[in-house]
Amino acid sequence: MALQEWTTTDYGKGPQTSLVVFDLQDNREVEVSSANKGFISPIKFDGSLLIYKKEYLGKGKTVEYDIEFESLEWWSESKHKNLG
């Protein structure tokens, strides 16, 4: 599971969002990427790829990225216990 997490809603600083992937089976999570003054959101899992996009509305810019799920590092125990 992948979700957009807001790190601030402060108008002067934000939006600041992160893309967080959750491994529900092993109860762990990892932050994949972040967007400063923009939005980052998952699009889909496609085989072994996680496809996501970053949107910077003020600049009128959207960029799509992909990352191999197996290449994700820096997993930590999930702080969100009720996702599964």
Side-chain angles (χ1 to χ4, degrees), residues 19-74:
L19 181 65
V20 180
V21 172
F22 298 91
D23 179 343
L24 300 177
Q25 185 173 12
D26 292 332
N27 192 40
R28 60 187 185 155
E29 64 185 64
V30 63
E31 182 180 308
V32 175
S33 186
S34 61
N36 186 23
K37 296 197 182 278
F39 302 94
I40 185 169
S41 56
I43 297 173
K44 66 180 177 177
F45 286 97
D46 186 8
S48 63
L49 290 178
L50 166 60
I51 302 170
Y52 62 97
K53 66 181 176 179
K54 290 185 179 184
E55 295 180 273
Y56 299 95
L57 302 178
K59 298 178 183 177
K61 181 178 174 183
T62 300
V63 182
E64 192 171 297
Y65 300 89
D66 62 63
I67 188 168
E68 289 282 339
F69 184 75
E70 294 297 323
S71 73
L72 297 176
E73 298 179 348
W74 313 111

